[in-house]
Amino acid sequence: MLRLLRGLMVALLLLGLGLALLLWSLTDSQSQVEVAPPQTQTVVAAKQLVQQFAQQLYLSDQDFQLQLSAQQVTQLSELASYAVAPLNIHAQLSGQQLLVDASIALPVPALSRYLNAQIAVNSSAGGVALGQLHVGWLRLPGPWLKRQVLALLDTLSDQQAFSRLDQSVTSLSIDPQQLDLALSRDVVVALKLAQEAVNFDPPDPLMQQRVLHYYRHALLLDAQAQGDSLGHYLQGLSHEVWQQSVDASLSQELEAMLWALSLHFTQGPFRGALGRQLGVFEALQPYRYGATLAGRNDLALHYVYSATIALAAEYGVSLAIGEFKELFDAREGGSGFSFADLAADRAGVSLAHTLDSEFAARVFVETLMQSGAEERFFPSIAGLEEGIPEAEFARRFGDVQSAAYQRLFAEIEQRILDLPAYIK
């Protein structure tokens, strides 16, 4: 029996080594896709396109038609590259194909290796027609790859959500100037089923109980609110976290408190989806009113929403979401780009990162227990410009990688680092 176990261990070790060598053989020392940071105009155009897509898709009872110019296809791929930090994507129309080049850095920075891939999406009279996939020296036929991927994804859904998504594509027409996509109305149902299939697993029953405990405690704090500052809630909840952590991990208690804080102050579809994912939707009370930071409700919402997003996203994604939201506002007729809002976004991400270690969680909880004064956890917004229109932002900063923008960004980061609630 012992000899058999040893043999199995050796076989598993060799299999793991073989897979690692195979992956290594498919990588390159350089990324084959270089994408420049998106310009303000790119972000604004992308938002308008997404708004148009959502309105047509969810508000109409007709089949859906989407037309993208060659420039829009490229712009969307550039935006996706910036939003997902380790991934670079470049898409372009060529002949009757959509050519997609992608490069992703391996998660071990010291290796400096990249997985480069290319695939074509062909015009079709139904469904998505994939061309050959190129990954390093490996070549995989598109039709075979599509069957395997759909079969794998459909195991996540008992209603074959991903096959239904593919079937909802009634036609895809591509030429060098334009991409025309036609979808049946079933795409809305398929999207909902697919979203449910890939939602993160609900927390264990103990976590559900913790979230409910802090949510109910936040409801009690409503009656004691003084000036509606978010600091009042953070102080009261931090005391409760400290008491509950006697027999549990402080960071786990703080995580449950942050989920509860989001459920208490967010609203609309975001709140409903979060409540369902956490398994506490039925216990949610009607939304009452919001708290404030620096006397403003919008800053408190930025802080809470960004902290919530950062709990479930990579650091780079959270950063991009905050910047994109501000760039979205920098359009004619909108509120304009706000560095104050961006400071609230970044402070919210710092709040989420207090869960990175027991020490960071302890520093935050002890600081807020002493006082809920906003200067202990929220940066000053004095001197931070707001309402910058798109044209002015483009003239002064160009994009979020420019030296002028990075100087202001660094100043905001330093203001947050100077706060006692977050570790240096």
Side-chain angles (χ1 to χ4, degrees):
M1 185 66 178
L2 184 59
R3 183 177 297 177
L4 177 61
L5 289 175
R6 286 177 177 172
L8 287 173
M9 290 179 63
V10 170
L12 290 174
L13 180 62
L14 291 175
L15 177 61
L17 181 60
L19 290 174
L21 290 174
L22 174 62
L23 177 61
W24 182 267
S25 71
L26 294 173
T27 62
D28 299 299
S29 59
Q30 292 184 335
S31 171
Q32 300 300 314
V33 183
E34 298 296 335
V35 180
Q39 300 293 315
T40 307
Q41 295 88 338
T42 299
V43 179
V44 173
K47 183 189 179 185
Q48 293 172 343
L49 186 64
V50 171
Q51 288 177 330
Q52 176 188 356
F53 177 88
Q55 289 173 356
Q56 292 187 32
L57 188 61
Y58 292 104
L59 300 182
S60 172
D61 58 358
Q62 305 296 320
D63 289 349
F64 175 71
Q65 300 281 338
L66 174 67
Q67 292 183 338
L68 294 176
S69 68
Q71 182 182 22
Q72 288 174 321
V73 169
T74 302
Q75 287 176 339
L76 288 173
S77 68
E78 290 175 355
L79 197 63
S81 295
Y82 187 67
V84 185
L87 180 66
N88 279 348
I89 301 176
H90 178 73
Q92 63 179 349
L93 303 181
S94 177
Q96 290 188 312
Q97 292 183 320
L98 168 65
L99 296 180
V100 181
D101 291 279
S103 179
I104 185 168
L106 294 187
V108 184
L111 295 178
S112 296
R113 303 292 292 183
Y114 299 85
L115 196 63
N116 296 308
Q118 182 186 72
I119 194 167
V121 179
N122 302 317
S123 295
S124 71
V128 177
L130 296 179
Q132 190 176 61
L133 172 68
H134 296 219
V135 183
W137 53 264
L138 184 64
R139 304 290 184 268
L140 295 175
W144 177 87
L145 177 64
K146 175 183 171 180
R147 288 194 299 271
Q148 306 312 310
V149 170
L150 286 179
L152 179 62
L153 291 175
D154 279 341
T155 62
L156 302 175
S157 168
D158 57 4
Q159 300 188 57
Q160 295 186 313
F162 297 92
S163 288
R164 290 182 65 173
L165 262 180
D166 178 62
Q167 293 163 8
S168 70
V169 178
T170 56
S171 71
L172 178 60
S173 177
I174 303 172
D175 61 46
Q177 286 75 43
Q178 185 169 287
L179 178 151
D180 292 282
L181 174 66
L183 299 170
S184 70
R185 287 305 303 161
D186 188 54
V187 69
V188 176
V189 176
L191 279 170
K192 182 178 179 180
L193 292 173
Q195 183 180 9
E196 292 174 352
V198 300
N199 278 341
F200 64 77
D201 292 332
D204 58 44
L206 182 57
M207 176 57 78
Q208 287 179 304
Q209 293 175 15
R210 287 170 173 159
V211 172
L212 277 175
H213 174 80
Y214 291 111
Y215 175 71
R216 289 165 178 158
H217 196 77
L219 292 174
L220 294 176
L221 290 171
D222 283 341
Q224 309 165 14
Q226 299 176 356
D228 294 339
S229 172
L230 189 63
H232 163 72
Y233 292 88
L234 288 175
Q235 182 179 23
L237 290 170
S238 292
H239 277 287
E240 193 65 20
V241 166
W242 185 264
Q243 294 178 12
Q244 296 297 319
S245 66
V246 173
D247 299 317
S249 161
L250 188 67
S251 61
Q252 288 181 340
E253 292 295 330
L254 183 57
E255 178 187 354
M257 184 269 273
L258 294 184
W259 287 126
L261 191 74
S262 180
L263 290 169
H264 191 58
F265 288 113
T266 59
Q267 53 185 307
F270 184 94
R271 183 180 190 241
L274 181 62
R276 282 187 286 270
Q277 290 177 346
L278 291 169
V280 297
F281 178 76
E282 298 300 327
L284 297 183
Q285 299 296 311
Y287 178 80
R288 298 180 181 179
Y289 55 85
T292 63
L293 285 172
R296 290 167 45 177
N297 177 249
D298 64 313
L299 294 179
L301 288 176
H302 273 271
Y303 184 74
V304 172
Y305 273 105
S306 291
T308 306
I309 292 169
L311 285 176
E314 294 289 336
Y315 180 86
V317 175
S318 301
L319 172 60
I321 286 171
E323 291 174 336
F324 285 164
K325 191 275 170 194
E326 294 318 308
L327 287 174
F328 287 162
D329 282 343
R331 65 190 189 280
E332 187 175 355
S335 60
F337 189 100
S338 168
F339 281 102
D341 288 352
L342 185 59
D345 290 333
R346 298 300 301 136
V349 173
S350 295
L351 170 62
H353 284 315
T354 60
L355 302 177
D356 289 349
S357 68
E358 287 292 307
F359 176 67
R362 180 177 294 274
V363 167
F364 180 83
V365 171
E366 290 182 344
T367 300
L368 269 294
M369 284 172 59
Q370 294 171 13
S371 170
E374 292 179 8
E375 59 265 24
R376 302 183 71 82
F377 66 93
F378 189 72
S380 168
I381 61 171
L384 297 180
E385 287 189 76
E386 300 190 75
I388 306 175
E390 175 192 348
E392 183 180 350
F393 183 93
R395 178 181 61 80
R396 293 172 54 189
F397 301 104
D399 60 57
V400 295
Q401 294 299 325
S402 68
Y405 179 91
Q406 287 299 317
R407 280 195 297 271
L408 285 171
F409 184 86
E411 179 185 336
I412 290 172
E413 290 292 283
Q414 188 58 54
R415 293 187 187 192
I416 295 172
L417 285 173
D418 290 341
L419 299 171
Y422 313 114
I423 61 174
K424 305 299 186 286

